[in-house]
Amino acid sequence: GKVMEQVQAKLNLIDLAGSERTDSAGTTGQMLKEGNAINLSLTALGGCIKALSENKKPNFRDSKLTLLLQASMTGGKVIMIAALSPASICFNETLSTLKFADRIKQVKIKSTKNVSTDPVAEMKKAMEELRAKMQAEIDALKGAGATGAIASDPSKVAELQSLLEEKKQAESKMAEDLKSRLAELESGGADRQQRANEINNMQAAAFQGLSTVKSKDEKRPHFVNLHDDPRLAETLVYPFDAGQTTIGRTNRSNPPQIEFNGMGIIKDHCVVEWDEAAGKVFIEPHNNSRTLVNGKKIAEKTELVHQNRVWLGNNYAMRFCFPGHEDAGEKKEEDPDYFLAESEVAAEAQAALGTDGAMAKLTEELRHQLAEGDRKIDQANII
């Protein structure tokens, strides 16, 4: 029979992030620690690349990054894209990046196919080959017996009987091995499925409350994230089931269904309620939390309609989507983005300061700075 061959491939996309210019960026605290960890990983990667370019044995276990890239750097293919800046203040980083890229070019990697065979098919093939070989020997002995050479020689008869017995035993043993291997494979499949389920559960716990589908495919009312970077905007979808959905910071005694832990988020921050029978969704803040709808802070239960902008805490900007109820929403031609949500917050802050002529002439840039300053003041008050 044919042996099934399976070719497997793996693609790793690694953002090396580059060295952190902590002095000019003013990086401190947790971000400084993360920058140092990134630089340590890059140092380990540089050491492995240097060893490979000099045909020496690298130590891939120096960091998780090099361990992850071990297969690609030894038997796969590596492509590096270097991002450079023409600014003179970035001269040292640009030079370092170019040297790093040049060192990678010196590494010669011989790509190999990652081919695995079906063990069951392989065993069946071995059985067929052994059966054919033994059958050929038996046929040869039978041919000799037909000519009378075996019948006149008792030792030849005994040899023939011994071969027949060996054939039966070999076939029986291989059948048992095949049965055992099939049982192992079935058990292995169950273990793999169990492991896959465990991974899915871990991901669900890590991304608590997130939907696995895109906003346009989600049929339940939901929040979609807003961000000033278009590449990050509308990438996270938080759906609501019928009834109440709690939102807030980590709380072991009363875990929220959707968990946020940024600045301004408190335990039991708010509750979103979907009255499925009435076709309405409400949001209710708790404990005087910073919950804004269309730029205005709310203090009581408020109905949400399609395209409403919602701020949770200081940094979580959302747009509310209500599939099937668009006609009851704001009916904007284009879905509101982060900048509209931010300008509404700035407008409310401006109104709180006064509406004299000077304040009325605020530019968009000043509005942005005002909104940013307002958030930082709230963060300072929380601290």
Side-chain angles (χ1 to χ4, degrees):
K2 295 182 178 179
V3 178
M4 297 296 294
E5 290 188 350
Q6 188 176 23
V7 180
Q8 296 179 338
K10 181 169 64 175
L11 176 65
N12 292 319
L13 298 176
I14 309 295
D15 181 6
L16 298 179
S19 61
E20 299 293 329
R21 303 177 71 246
T22 55
D23 293 336
S24 60
T27 307
T28 58
Q30 183 63 29
M31 291 184 67
L32 180 60
K33 293 180 181 178
E34 292 176 1
N36 291 336
I38 290 171
N39 289 337
L40 286 175
S41 294
L42 290 176
T43 301
L45 178 61
C48 289
I49 291 172
K50 184 176 185 295
L52 288 170
S53 63
E54 296 173 354
N55 294 322
K56 296 179 181 178
K57 185 177 180 180
N59 188 2
F60 290 107
R61 295 187 177 275
D62 283 346
S63 75
K64 292 182 180 179
L65 174 64
T66 53
L67 193 61
L68 179 65
L69 292 176
Q70 180 177 0
S72 299
M73 295 173 68
T74 54
K77 188 173 184 179
V78 177
I79 298 175
M80 177 183 174
I81 301 175
L84 307 175
S85 171
S88 59
I89 61 170
C90 298
F91 174 78
N92 292 330
E93 283 77 7
T94 300
L95 182 61
S96 175
T97 302
L98 288 173
K99 288 181 177 179
F100 192 83
D102 182 64
R103 187 177 292 173
I104 288 182
K105 286 179 64 177
Q106 297 175 21
V107 179
K108 305 299 180 184
I109 302 175
K110 185 178 180 181
S111 299
T112 57
K113 262 190 177 182
N114 188 14
V115 180
S116 59
T117 57
D118 183 358
V120 177
E122 199 170 356
M123 287 190 66
K124 286 183 177 179
K125 182 181 179 182
M127 286 182 64
E128 291 294 334
E129 291 175 352
L130 180 59
R131 184 181 288 111
K133 181 180 178 181
M134 297 183 71
Q135 188 64 48
E137 293 178 357
I138 292 170
D139 291 342
L141 288 171
K142 284 182 177 179
T147 61
I150 291 179
S152 60
D153 189 350
S155 64
K156 295 288 185 181
V157 175
E159 185 181 353
L160 176 59
Q161 290 176 343
S162 176
L163 282 171
L164 288 172
E165 186 65 26
E166 287 179 5
K167 178 187 176 185
K168 290 181 181 179
Q169 291 178 359
E171 288 185 347
S172 176
K173 184 178 180 180
M174 292 194 74
E176 290 178 2
D177 289 343
L178 180 60
K179 185 177 180 181
S180 175
R181 183 64 65 87
L182 286 172
E184 288 178 4
L185 288 174
E186 290 177 359
S187 174
D191 291 341
R192 286 193 296 272
Q193 185 61 44
Q194 181 180 357
R195 180 58 181 159
N197 292 336
E198 290 176 358
I199 292 173
N200 289 336
N201 292 335
M202 289 171 62
Q203 290 178 340
F207 300 103
Q208 190 172 9
L210 275 175
S211 174
T212 56
V213 301
K214 296 181 179 179
S215 176
K216 63 180 181 180
D217 299 322
E218 180 60 68
K219 303 304 180 184
R220 295 168 291 178
H222 58 274
F223 281 157
V224 60
N225 75 304
L226 301 178
H227 200 279
D228 56 352
D229 187 340
R231 296 170 297 179
L232 300 178
E234 303 183 19
T235 56
L236 304 176
V237 177
Y238 300 90
F240 305 115
D241 292 321
Q244 292 190 340
T245 300
T246 56
I247 301 175
R249 185 177 287 275
T250 302
N251 187 354
R252 292 184 179 180
S253 61
N254 185 24
Q257 291 163 282
I258 298 179
E259 182 178 307
F260 295 129
N261 289 294
M263 291 295 295
I265 299 293
I266 62 176
K267 293 180 179 179
D268 302 322
H269 190 92
C270 65
V271 171
V272 174
E273 181 180 352
W274 176 21
D275 188 341
E276 191 173 11
K280 294 185 177 182
V281 177
F282 300 90
I283 185 169
E284 183 176 4
H286 289 169
N287 306 319
N288 195 31
S289 64
R290 188 177 192 269
T291 304
L292 283 64
V293 176
N294 292 353
K296 298 180 179 180
K297 184 176 180 180
I298 60 172
E300 56 187 17
K301 192 173 183 179
T302 303
E303 182 180 357
L304 294 175
V305 298
H306 186 69
Q307 292 185 332
N308 274 169
R309 281 75 60 206
V310 178
W311 283 88
L312 302 176
N314 297 78
N315 301 314
Y316 294 98
M318 306 286 179
R319 184 177 69 243
F320 176 67
C321 301
F322 201 172
H325 295 75
E326 291 84 357
D327 291 341
E330 297 190 12
K331 299 181 181 179
K332 294 182 180 292
E333 293 184 3
E334 295 185 1
D335 287 330
D337 59 9
Y338 176 86
F339 299 102
L340 175 60
E342 188 179 52
S343 66
E344 290 173 335
V345 175
E348 288 298 316
Q350 176 184 341
L353 292 173
T355 56
D356 57 355
M359 292 301 298
K361 295 179 181 179
L362 281 175
T363 64
E364 286 299 319
E365 178 63 23
L366 289 176
R367 288 176 185 273
H368 173 78
Q369 293 178 8
L370 180 60
E372 188 69 22
D374 186 47
R375 285 202 298 275
K376 288 182 178 179
I377 290 171
D378 287 337
Q379 289 177 0
N381 290 335
I382 293 170
I383 295 173

